[in-house]
Amino acid sequence: MTEKVKVVTLGCEKNLVDSEIMAGLIHGRGFQLVDHKEDATVIIVNTCGFIDAAKEESVNTILDMAELKQTANLKALIVSGCLTQRYKKELMEEMPEIDGIVGTGDFDKINQIVDEALRGKKPVLVGNPVFNYDADLPRQVTTPRYTAYVKIAEGCDNACTFCSIPIMRGKFRSRSMESVISEVTQLANQGVKEISLIAQDSTNYGTDLYDGFMLPTLLHKVSEVPGIEWVRLHYAYPGFFTDELIEAIASNPKVCKYIDMPLQHSEDRILKLMRRPGRQKDTRELVRKIRERIPQVALRTSLIVGFPGETDEDFENLKQFVQDMQFDRLGVFAYSQEEDTPASRLPDQVPDDVKEFRANTLMEIQRGISNLRGGNRIGQEIDVLIERYDGRSDVYVGRSQYDAPEIDGEVFVANARLNIGELARVRITHSFEFDFSGEVIA
């Protein structure tokens, strides 16, 4: 009997790529991949362990999947990813429902884990997180046929005091440029038009393999692959955002004028406690240079509120910073006290209710900014990647280069017959809180 395998992915896009690699290996093994958990004889839960909420979601998902052993055909429940890398012992001791564990450095051995789990061995394979996938590994892309994520590096060397990523993912290590281009070429041959380059620290790409910062060169090489129309950059660490990178984004028509650059805070004292690069004046100067050279750029950032020692005055200054900077997109996270991180041992931890209030306050400020920034796009003519048709409203729905998959806004187009996956030229006519509507230009 051919085993039926369901892969459940939690967390970020980097986790999604890992799941797609495991699915590719499983498919190559001859097992059948299924969409519904009820049909599976093997379930793999690829977990996130970044913050408390993510860990809680991971544990609850594992328990939900385990119930299928009583009601469905489930033979083996495998757990992988960040949570296993960090808590393998606790998971095996406290959750006997788990039949096997694989860490972030051993995804390429998933078939071995599945085979042993089906034989009742309860395998645990969690070594040093050194694995970095190559274009030669099979991959089952699960995103729509016109878009895909490509991981250009793994791990992180920045040692921010609040972050557990180095614990779970190891030191920073780039993929070779040849490997990345080979994978992008394979994806383009399958019909992918939009490539989103991802890493925990994308701006540091290449410094461990080549002589200097190589992300600008990589952007140009990816854009030269036949069939690729959009190249999108995620998680640009501000400390390594060079003038050459700004120029590459500004001058290359295929590189989306979209920058996802997590800043985490505005106040110098907090940034120092976080062990983040530069100070507020450096951030303001960097944003000024970016907007001067790329006038239509959409800037997304993320901020942490309630970091240990953050005072009312710090928060008031952070609010003013958000007002001043007028980011197009903003994500706000309440600080999560992660064990084994330096920040977890800092004094003056902020109460949860204060953190929640501050997060909600910042998001309310951002709603007004998003409305204002969005209104400035009315009348613009932009390319929209059509993603679906909404039959109830008789509109097509897509994204512009200023909107990343899943996390940003959409564009509604009502006056034409379009094809899913095509780029349509659209004039923006209306702006909503995060979305737009427009008309196709003949």
Side-chain angles (χ1 to χ4, degrees):
M1 171 184 170
T2 299
E3 303 297 343
K4 298 179 179 179
V5 183
K6 168 66 175 173
V7 182
V8 179
T9 305
L10 304 173
C12 66
E13 298 86 357
K14 299 184 290 295
N15 253 23
L16 176 64
V17 173
D18 294 334
S19 290
E20 292 175 343
I21 292 166
M22 287 192 289
L25 290 166
I26 288 163
H27 183 262
R29 166 73 169 73
F31 291 157
Q32 179 184 350
L33 295 166
V34 296
D35 294 327
H36 303 292
K37 61 185 181 181
E38 293 81 7
D39 298 331
T41 57
V42 177
I43 290 178
I44 301 168
V45 180
N46 193 12
T47 61
C48 178
F50 184 47
I51 58 175
D52 284 342
K55 288 185 281 189
E56 182 178 353
E57 181 187 21
S58 293
V59 169
N60 289 338
T61 301
I62 294 167
L63 294 174
D64 288 345
M65 298 301 114
E67 292 180 2
L68 294 172
K69 289 186 176 182
Q70 311 301 322
T71 61
N73 302 314
L74 185 62
K75 300 177 187 176
L77 176 59
I78 313 296
V79 181
S80 65
C82 291
L83 200 69
T84 64
Q85 188 69 32
R86 199 172 178 192
Y87 301 109
K88 63 177 181 179
K89 182 179 179 181
E90 292 85 347
L91 286 169
M92 290 304 288
E93 289 178 351
E94 298 175 17
M95 302 182 75
E97 301 91 343
I98 296 173
D99 300 299
I101 278 179
V102 58
T104 60
D106 299 286
F107 289 123
D108 56 332
K109 303 178 183 68
I110 186 61
N111 285 331
Q112 171 190 332
I113 296 296
V114 170
D115 287 343
E116 292 183 6
L118 288 170
R119 294 198 298 269
K121 289 191 173 182
K122 295 252 180 182
V124 176
L125 186 55
V126 181
N128 291 328
V130 296
F131 171 67
N132 209 357
Y133 81 99
D134 191 82
D136 293 336
L137 279 178
R139 179 179 168 193
Q140 291 284 116
V141 178
T142 56
T143 46
R145 66 181 186 275
Y146 46 82
T147 185
Y149 296 99
V150 172
K151 198 187 299 190
I152 63 174
E154 184 61 272
C156 188
D157 287 344
N158 293 316
C160 301
T161 59
F162 55 82
C163 184
S164 57
I165 291 295
I167 299 172
M168 298 181 290
R169 291 284 180 169
K171 290 185 174 297
F172 181 84
R173 51 208 185 274
S174 304
R175 290 176 62 192
S176 73
M177 201 168 297
E178 293 77 12
S179 177
V180 173
I181 299 304
S182 176
E183 182 178 20
V184 171
T185 301
Q186 293 173 30
L187 292 168
N189 290 338
Q190 296 167 21
V192 170
K193 295 180 179 179
E194 177 188 36
I195 294 291
S196 294
L197 301 178
I198 55 173
Q200 192 63 34
D201 174 8
S202 60
T203 42
N204 202 25
Y205 172 77
T207 55
D208 55 330
L209 295 181
Y210 307 104
D211 184 17
F213 297 102
M214 296 302 291
L215 184 58
T217 301
L218 182 67
L219 288 175
H220 288 310
K221 286 186 176 295
V222 170
S223 71
E224 292 168 358
V225 174
I228 298 302
E229 299 292 340
W230 283 355
V231 183
R232 189 179 299 278
L233 178 62
H234 286 272
Y235 315 125
Y237 192 73
F240 305 135
F241 212 106
T242 63
D243 291 344
E244 290 77 14
L245 179 56
I246 296 174
E247 184 60 30
I249 297 171
S251 63
N252 192 319
K254 289 190 176 182
V255 176
C256 294
K257 307 314 180 238
Y258 173 96
I259 296 172
D260 186 349
M261 183 171 61
L263 297 174
Q264 312 305 3
H265 214 279
S266 64
E267 297 309 285
D268 292 355
R269 186 178 64 84
I270 301 297
L271 290 170
K272 185 175 180 181
L273 288 171
M274 289 180 167
R275 207 179 292 156
R276 295 290 291 178
R279 294 298 174 257
Q280 185 180 149
K281 64 179 179 60
D282 303 308
T283 298
R284 288 179 180 268
E285 175 60 16
L286 176 58
V287 171
R288 184 199 65 77
K289 286 198 297 185
I290 290 171
R291 284 179 166 157
E292 181 180 82
R293 184 66 185 91
I294 319 170
Q296 296 301 318
V297 70
L299 277 175
R300 163 175 278 281
T301 195
S302 58
L303 299 172
I304 295 174
V305 294
F307 189 81
E310 183 187 66
T311 64
D312 290 342
E313 181 181 2
D314 292 326
F315 181 63
E316 289 300 316
N317 292 337
L318 180 60
K319 285 165 56 179
Q320 187 60 53
F321 177 78
V322 170
Q323 289 280 18
D324 292 345
M325 302 308 289
Q326 296 283 296
F327 295 110
D328 299 87
R329 313 278 188 267
L330 176 67
V332 181
F333 298 90
Y335 167 73
S336 177
Q337 189 176 3
E338 295 299 303
E339 61 184 305
D340 300 325
T341 61
S344 68
R345 300 185 289 273
L346 289 174
D348 302 320
Q349 297 284 330
V350 177
D352 287 345
D353 59 338
V354 175
K355 290 188 281 191
E356 183 178 357
F357 170 78
R358 290 176 179 176
N360 291 337
T361 300
L362 276 193
M363 285 311 300
E364 191 61 34
I365 292 172
Q366 182 60 33
R367 285 189 183 92
I369 294 171
S370 295
N371 276 326
L372 179 64
R373 302 281 301 174
N376 294 335
R377 297 209 183 273
I378 293 176
Q380 290 185 7
E381 297 179 3
I382 61 175
D383 289 330
V384 174
L385 181 60
I386 303 301
E387 297 199 285
R388 69 180 191 277
Y389 173 68
D390 184 340
R392 291 177 301 175
S393 304
D394 190 26
V395 296
Y396 286 86
V397 186
R399 289 180 292 108
S400 74
Q401 65 170 314
Y402 310 114
D403 300 289
E406 304 295 331
I407 60 173
D408 291 321
E410 297 178 314
V411 181
F412 302 93
V413 186
N415 70 322
R417 296 282 78 115
L418 302 168
N419 296 313
I420 305 303
E422 78 166 291
L423 283 170
R425 192 69 176 171
V426 173
R427 180 182 294 109
I428 300 299
T429 57
H430 297 85
S431 170
F432 310 104
E433 188 170 337
F434 298 108
D435 302 320
F436 301 92
S437 64
E439 299 175 344
V440 170
I441 300 169

